[in-house]
Amino acid sequence: TPRGGVPLSTLFPGVDLGRMHDQTRRFAARFGVTDFNPPDRIQNSRRALAMAEYARDSGHLEAFRAAAFENHWRRGKDLEAIADLRELAIRAGLDAEAAVESVDDPLYLDRVDEKQADARRQGITGIPTFVLGHERVIGCQPFDVLAAAARRAGAEPRTAA
């Protein structure tokens, strides 16, 4: 995804985005997620991922993840904008100035790039990706799709105890 992101209308020409977002909300509600706003563009998350690497080194990765999801999905914050990234750092308990510096630090950006390259080498083309045996299930999928893939990989349903 280029800097500045890509509007969903470019990725899905002719698709009614309002209807698509309503479907996404209904799908999420099945899992108890009811208070979020699907974005109208795919953001470039490279800088936020660099900050995540800084958070990992600082022992705040879980707090960062929670704050990043909250900021992006519920608060509509921009994962590229310095002001929003600074706010994210504060919410995650990071040193705000050091965290903001990390978003353009070659050390952290190289880690992000290497992890992305490793994912590509493994055939991962989307998020989330579930690897079940030799099969990959890409994207947010209903439980029955994941369960069927798990069965094909040799998993057996648990019996009630």
Side-chain angles (χ1 to χ4, degrees):
T1 304
R3 263 201 162 168
V6 176
L8 290 179
S9 59
T10 300
L11 294 174
F12 305 105
V15 171
D16 181 342
L17 291 180
R19 183 176 168 166
M20 185 172 81
H21 287 333
D22 287 343
Q23 289 172 331
T24 301
R25 285 186 194 94
R26 283 193 302 277
F27 180 80
R30 292 173 45 199
F31 303 96
V33 178
T34 58
D35 57 344
F36 81 103
N37 255 334
D40 287 329
R41 69 183 174 88
I42 301 293
Q43 294 186 23
N44 178 311
S45 58
R46 188 168 183 249
R47 295 173 99 193
L49 291 170
M51 187 181 284
E53 290 300 316
Y54 169 78
R56 180 189 312 276
D57 287 355
S58 302
H60 291 86
L61 183 58
E62 291 307 315
F64 176 85
R65 285 179 176 165
F69 275 89
E70 176 77 18
N71 272 14
H72 178 68
W73 293 106
R74 291 195 169 112
R75 303 178 78 222
K77 299 293 181 168
D78 189 331
L79 295 175
E80 292 184 75
I82 290 296
D84 288 348
L85 289 167
R86 177 177 279 106
E87 178 187 327
L88 172 56
I90 292 167
R91 290 175 57 96
L94 298 170
D95 174 306
E97 293 312 310
V100 166
E101 288 177 15
S102 74
V103 304
D104 292 315
D105 185 322
L107 169 74
Y108 297 114
L109 292 170
D110 286 349
R111 279 193 210 169
V112 170
D113 294 343
E114 178 51 40
K115 287 178 181 188
Q116 185 179 43
D118 184 48
R120 281 192 195 120
R121 284 189 295 272
Q122 295 181 46
I124 296 172
T125 60
I127 298 173
T129 295
F130 300 90
V131 179
L132 303 156
H134 298 291
E135 186 173 348
R136 286 171 173 67
V137 179
I138 299 170
C140 189
Q141 301 290 332
F143 175 80
D144 57 326
V145 171
L146 293 170
R151 284 190 297 277
R152 286 190 298 274
E156 295 182 21
R158 291 182 183 174
T159 57

